[in-house]
Amino acid sequence: MRELVRYPAFLWLLAAGGASSLAGWALGIALSVQVYELTHSPLTTSALLICSLAPSVLLGTFAGVVGDRVSRVRLLKTASWLRVVIVASLWFSSGTNLPWIFTVPVLQSAAMAFFIPAHQATIAQVVPGRLLAAATGLNSATVNTTRLIAPALGGLSISVLGFEGTTAVVSVLLLISAVLIGRVKVANQKNGTHGSSVLRDWIEGLKELKANRDSSAITVLQSMDAWKEGIVSALFPVLMLGVIGTSPAVMGVINSSFALTAIVGGIACPLIVQRYGYRTPIAVGATTTGALLLVLIWLPNTPMALTIWFLSGFPFTVSWVACNTLLLLTTKEHLRARTVGTLGSLYGFHSLAAAAIAGVTAELYGVLPILIVAGTIQSLAGPMYRTMSRRLNADPGSRR
């Protein structure tokens, strides 16, 4: 990882992504707490997540194509400044204005649909392939460091400063991220479009995703993970505040505890894939995360929630970092943004469907039975991926 300091563009991207993530986590906690406190409804809380997921479903693939056709850095700058304006608008609105509270996640998600694939593809562009696992691992560690701080910050901030004060803090963080993105300088990217239409570029990306067997296996894994994540994200505030009975501040601390071991997972991932390759850590990490969630459902209390979220960080992060690094390594450079965008759309679609179903079914059957389904799906994702990956060529990361 020491070699990464020789690539200043990556360092600016890393810092900007960290500030952006810090803002995103804090805002997410603030919005979910505010909506639950106003409505006390699992269905309405789930609807907030649906609003944040819908744009990524609709725009993710298109945004990826745009990221491969235009300057990715320029796209990052535009999306970053739009986010500043969008969140700042919350400061001027009433904390009880539910229509606008639900509108802001939609606009934020639309901007992020363009930001995320461009950010990941740019990281792969500015560092050599041999350092990509280290770069994505360090990026993950940075994001999880913000996850360690931000949920607790969001819960504490909304308790001390109120909803409007918290949105002001988030706006400043997004402003810092936009300024840092402005420092990124990279060589012209290879787009490979040569005057082709957007539709043709989109189809080319889909063909690459289908033809690339690694991408196909990753798509199945991430789709199953999306169902787990959609359910858990939708019902997490209800589980913590309603079933277990924690306060918003404690809920933020529990969420943050995930990051303690996730940071270690991001840093350790390059060493793990060097020893075991990419595919085994991806499968083992996914299954372990699902099994831990099932333990929490069996014993739903505050100490157990803190323990499970803490233990889940390492296996989930190793699996996620290895998965996304393998995707970038096995995708042609001029197709990377659209591949990431397409997978993002699929992930968002499955998460949205899961969140919608979770909100409705939790009203009928309770929160815990629905979370059992989430844990079971995640536990099966690892074996499913490993079965598919056995048909692939030699693992690019393994030294065995």
Side-chain angles (χ1 to χ4, degrees):
M1 286 192 178
R2 293 178 184 176
E3 293 183 66
L4 292 173
V5 300
R6 297 165 50 192
Y7 302 91
F10 169 71
L11 298 180
W12 290 121
L13 286 167
L14 188 70
S20 172
S21 179
L22 187 63
W25 279 109
L27 181 64
I29 290 291
L31 288 172
S32 62
V33 168
Q34 186 73 356
V35 168
Y36 185 74
E37 293 292 343
L38 290 173
T39 66
H40 295 282
S41 168
L43 182 59
T44 307
T45 306
S46 299
L48 180 68
L49 179 63
I50 293 170
C51 286
S52 67
L53 290 173
S56 66
V57 176
L58 299 174
L59 297 175
T61 298
F62 172 73
V65 173
V66 172
D68 284 332
R69 291 176 65 92
V70 305
S71 167
R72 291 170 186 152
V73 174
R74 187 176 302 166
L75 189 60
L76 288 172
K77 292 177 182 177
T78 302
S80 296
W81 284 107
L82 284 174
R83 293 181 70 204
V84 175
V85 174
I86 292 165
V87 173
S89 69
L90 275 174
W91 191 80
F92 298 100
S93 66
S94 170
T96 58
N97 187 346
L98 274 177
W100 188 245
I101 289 175
F102 274 80
T103 300
V104 165
V106 175
L107 299 176
Q108 276 283 293
S109 180
M112 288 302 292
F114 289 88
F115 184 93
I116 292 174
H119 188 263
Q120 292 190 30
T122 304
I123 288 177
Q125 182 182 347
V126 299
V127 300
R130 62 185 177 81
L131 295 178
L132 187 55
T136 54
L138 185 56
N139 184 62
S140 173
T142 301
V143 169
N144 280 299
T145 299
T146 67
R147 179 171 181 170
L148 175 64
I149 301 169
L153 174 65
L156 179 63
S157 179
I158 198 170
S159 299
V160 176
L161 301 177
F163 180 71
E164 293 173 347
T166 301
T167 60
V169 173
V170 172
S171 298
V172 172
L173 290 170
L174 289 174
L175 177 63
I176 293 171
S177 176
V179 171
L180 292 171
I181 285 289
R183 302 297 302 272
V184 176
K185 308 293 182 185
V186 299
N188 292 332
Q189 70 196 53
K190 301 176 182 177
N191 57 44
T193 57
H194 304 298
S196 61
S197 67
V198 172
L199 178 59
R200 186 175 299 174
D201 286 349
W202 177 66
I203 293 173
E204 183 184 4
L206 290 179
K207 288 181 178 178
E208 173 69 13
L209 194 62
K210 183 178 179 180
N212 186 332
R213 292 184 294 175
D214 268 303
S215 297
S216 298
I218 289 170
T219 299
V220 172
L221 175 77
Q222 292 201 0
S223 296
M224 296 179 74
D225 177 78
W227 276 88
K228 178 270 299 181
E229 194 64 24
I231 294 172
V232 173
S233 297
L235 299 181
F236 181 75
V238 185
L239 174 66
M240 294 296 138
L241 301 175
V243 176
I244 295 178
T246 66
S247 66
V250 173
M251 183 182 80
V253 171
I254 290 172
N255 204 332
S256 295
S257 68
F258 176 96
L260 287 171
T261 53
I263 294 168
V264 179
I267 296 173
C269 187
L271 298 176
I272 293 173
V273 299
Q274 188 178 28
R275 176 66 180 86
Y276 298 102
Y278 285 93
R279 295 166 188 144
T280 297
I282 289 172
V284 172
T287 299
T288 303
T289 305
L292 288 170
L293 178 59
L294 291 174
V295 173
L296 174 60
I297 307 311
W298 182 38
L299 297 170
N301 56 65
T302 300
M304 183 58 68
L306 186 63
T307 301
I308 293 302
W309 247 250
F310 173 80
L311 293 177
S312 297
F314 186 89
F316 178 86
T317 302
V318 170
S319 178
W320 189 257
V321 171
C323 188
N324 284 281
T325 304
L326 182 61
L327 176 66
L328 292 170
L329 284 174
T330 55
T331 303
K332 298 172 184 175
E333 180 182 338
H334 71 280
L335 297 175
R336 283 172 175 165
R338 73 194 74 174
T339 300
V340 172
T342 299
L343 280 179
S345 285
L346 291 172
Y347 193 95
F349 172 78
H350 290 295
S351 295
L352 190 152
I357 293 172
V360 173
T361 54
E363 295 275 6
L364 298 174
Y365 304 108
V367 172
L368 296 183
I370 310 307
L371 289 172
I372 290 175
V373 175
T376 302
I377 291 173
Q378 181 71 21
S379 299
L380 295 175
M384 178 69 72
Y385 170 82
R386 201 66 188 97
T387 298
M388 295 182 68
S389 67
R390 286 196 182 99
R391 300 196 298 267
L392 300 174
N393 296 326
D395 196 312
S398 179
R399 285 165 46 179
R400 293 181 299 175

